[in-house]
Amino acid sequence: MSQTEVPKKHHITESDPYKLDAADVQKAPTRFRERFKYLGPGIITSAMIVGSGELIVTTSLGAQAGFALLWMVIIASTVKVWVQLELAQWTIITGKPALEGYASIGPKVKGLGIINYAWIIMELCKALQRGGIIGGTAGALSILAPVIGEPLSGPSLAFWAIVTTLTVIAMMITAKYSVVERICVVAIVALTAITVGLAAVLPMTDYAYSAADIASGLTFAIPAGALGFAVAMFGITGVGAEEMTAYTYWCIEKGYARWTGPNDGTKEWQQRAKGWINIMRLDVLVGWMISTICTMSFFTLGASILHPQGLVPSGNEMLLTLSNIYTSILGDWASTLFLVGAIFVLFSTVIGVAASVPRQWANTFGLMGLFDWKDMAKRKKWIRVLTVIIPSLWCISFLIVNEPVIMVLIGGTAAGIFLLAVVVAVWVLRTRDEPKVFRKNTVLNVILAVCSLLVAALAIYSVVKTFGIEIG
């Protein structure tokens, strides 16, 4: 196939996606319709976001604060995506995933930079969040089919948590990108249709919201008692530090960097890079639209239905509380519908993180010199082993802590704080590694700068409030 032809197949072959070879280069399609065939990483990212962030934290935030924090939802869903775009652009240009970029910044200790160690700390906290997601999935299954004792009893929850974990491991053990993408597409389509549909019919029910409600949520205020949810929601709602980092791996495995090829300094390479960067931007846009629509819908449902009833999800009763969203509109029978939907949503998130996190840890161990990351056979072996170990540790964390909402909040707060490190990394990497031709768009530069400042400010605010630091 010549370099000017559009590839007939958009899936990647057995060629190593992490190796840039001039023989693999392909021009990106220029027709708008054709471009959609090459999307996918953004869908996986949306699935990673929606399960824990939107279903649990955002709905809980709406339940606790009403519409008052609508402004935070909008900011959290919008400003971070520009940082994601820039980090992904760096990946396509260099062919390297984010963690390798982080390792190149500042002094190294055992092959890792300070941002890598910040990532490790975040990941240890996020392990609790993922345990909470497994717990949420187990809770929904336990309510629908208690197998040992009463619904939501310890033995029943433990049984379903173990079953969920083993199922995820079995599905992800092949470490194939295509499997992850297909599962996430199905889950996201179903979730979006159901959630947006419910939010759309709210004005015709007893839980209708008004223009005044919406206006009250745009005053940039944080109600007393809602700070913890607000801080966690900023870190976990919309694309977060974790998803930004993971997205670079999906861009590589989809083929964007491999099809761009190594930078040989030619105009042909620049044109290919710009073409695949445009595909990536469309992919990010679609993912952002999906996650933002779901975010706004979940928040609206929580603020309109749960808040007036004084219902705030907590503990293992979280799913029963959240099911009031459905039963309040459709009747008691809808509780089953909600639980089935919750299983798909939460499970898709577990699938997404169970696929991405082992890749990132394997990359980290490779950077530390424990194995040769560039050796595809060894890389796959490490990823498969970690695909067994890491989800098992998440499951164990749930069995020990057994508080899904708190576990998700801890992970979300850590992700919000780590955002500051990602913003710093993005500016260093783009300035140092990207040719000037990719940094000439004044409008995009201004938007990136403004959004970076907002993300950094809110991340610093998260640190201050989380650790109780007094200012002034």
Side-chain angles (χ1 to χ4, degrees):
M1 179 180 292
S2 71
Q3 293 184 15
T4 59
E5 292 177 339
V6 174
K8 294 181 180 180
K9 295 182 180 180
H10 58 277
H11 63 276
I12 57 178
T13 65
E14 281 300 308
S15 297
D16 188 348
Y18 291 89
K19 179 182 179 181
L20 300 185
D21 190 330
D24 294 326
V25 301
Q26 298 173 354
K27 266 196 170 184
T30 55
R31 293 181 179 180
F32 187 74
R33 184 175 179 180
E34 286 293 318
R35 291 180 177 184
F36 280 90
K37 296 180 181 179
Y38 296 86
L39 306 186
I43 301 295
I44 299 175
T45 303
S46 297
M48 293 173 64
I49 294 168
V50 169
S52 58
E54 275 70 357
L55 178 61
I56 298 176
V57 175
T58 305
T59 309
S60 298
L61 182 66
Q64 182 170 5
F67 282 94
L69 284 174
L70 179 62
W71 66 273
M72 178 70 85
V73 176
I74 295 173
I75 289 177
S77 298
T78 303
V79 299
K80 293 179 291 182
V81 74
W82 295 95
V83 181
Q84 175 193 3
L85 282 166
E86 185 60 39
L87 187 59
Q89 175 171 294
W90 174 86
T91 286
I92 293 173
I93 290 172
T94 63
K96 299 177 182 178
L99 289 174
E100 291 189 24
Y102 300 162
S104 68
I105 299 173
K108 291 185 179 182
V109 178
K110 294 188 176 180
L112 303 179
I114 188 172
I115 297 179
N116 294 90
Y117 286 105
W119 176 85
I120 289 173
I121 294 172
M122 179 195 70
E123 278 300 312
L124 294 176
C125 294
K126 295 287 281 188
L128 289 174
Q129 176 185 331
R130 286 139 194 169
I133 300 171
I134 289 176
T137 310
L141 288 165
S142 181
I143 296 170
L144 286 176
V147 292
I148 305 174
E150 296 296 323
L152 296 180
S153 65
S156 185
L157 283 173
F159 173 83
W160 283 117
I162 293 171
V163 168
T164 298
T165 303
L166 292 177
T167 302
V168 168
I169 291 173
M171 295 177 71
M172 292 294 99
I173 196 65
T174 62
K176 288 185 177 180
Y177 168 87
S178 58
V179 173
V180 183
E181 182 179 290
R182 285 197 293 268
I183 293 174
C184 291
V185 166
V186 173
I188 283 296
V189 169
L191 167 70
T192 304
I194 294 173
T195 306
V196 174
L198 282 175
V201 302
L202 271 182
M204 296 176 282
T205 71
D206 294 336
Y207 299 95
Y209 53 89
S210 65
D213 292 325
I214 301 298
S216 70
L218 302 176
T219 59
F220 299 98
I222 298 181
L227 179 61
F229 274 110
V231 170
M233 191 214 65
F234 175 73
I236 203 171
T237 301
V239 61
E242 171 197 11
E243 291 81 23
M244 290 177 191
T245 302
Y247 184 72
T248 63
Y249 291 81
W250 299 133
C251 283
I252 290 176
E253 297 205 17
K254 183 67 177 180
Y256 298 160
R258 184 167 64 92
W259 294 329
T260 297
N263 183 0
D264 55 10
T266 63
K267 290 184 178 180
E268 288 77 11
W269 175 83
Q270 289 183 11
Q271 290 302 315
R272 285 197 308 273
K274 288 179 179 179
W276 289 113
I277 287 170
N278 286 335
I279 296 292
M280 177 272 292
R281 288 172 177 169
L282 178 61
D283 182 70
V284 170
L285 175 63
V286 171
W288 172 78
M289 290 176 63
I290 291 171
S291 61
T292 300
I293 289 171
C294 290
T295 300
M296 300 298 291
S297 298
F298 274 120
F299 183 84
T300 300
L301 291 168
S304 297
I305 299 173
L306 299 183
H307 183 67
Q309 300 181 67
L311 298 173
V312 178
S314 63
N316 287 316
E317 301 295 323
M318 165 194 67
L319 288 168
L320 292 177
T321 303
L322 291 175
S323 69
N324 278 276
I325 291 174
Y326 284 59
T327 57
S328 295
I329 298 176
L330 303 176
D332 292 340
W333 67 271
S335 176
T336 300
L337 173 65
F338 166 77
L339 291 170
V340 171
I343 290 170
F344 278 103
V345 173
L346 294 169
F347 189 74
S348 70
T349 298
V350 179
I351 287 292
V353 294
S356 67
V357 175
R359 283 164 165 78
Q360 294 170 73
W361 274 109
N363 194 192
T364 298
F365 293 141
L367 291 168
M368 296 175 69
L370 298 184
F371 77 101
D372 183 4
W373 169 260
K374 294 182 179 180
D375 186 322
M376 186 166 65
K378 291 181 179 179
R379 182 171 66 239
K380 286 185 175 181
K381 182 178 179 180
W382 272 79
I383 291 173
R384 286 169 180 164
V385 170
L386 291 172
T387 298
V388 174
I389 295 174
I390 293 175
S392 299
L393 294 176
W394 298 341
C395 181
I396 291 171
S397 74
F398 167 70
L399 297 177
I400 294 174
V401 180
N402 203 15
E403 282 285 347
V405 176
I406 293 176
M407 296 171 77
V408 170
L409 286 174
I410 291 173
T413 300
I417 295 171
F418 182 64
L419 274 171
L420 183 59
V422 174
V423 170
V424 172
V426 161
W427 281 93
V428 172
L429 294 174
R430 80 186 299 265
T431 303
R432 187 191 66 194
D433 299 338
E434 293 184 10
K436 291 183 179 180
V437 68
F438 296 97
R439 297 183 277 121
K440 291 173 63 176
N441 192 312
T442 303
V443 174
L444 292 181
N445 288 338
V446 171
I447 293 175
L448 176 63
V450 171
C451 290
S452 296
L453 288 173
L454 287 172
V455 170
L458 287 168
I460 293 171
Y461 180 80
S462 298
V463 174
V464 170
K465 291 299 182 180
T466 299
F467 296 102
I469 301 172
E470 297 292 336
I471 300 179

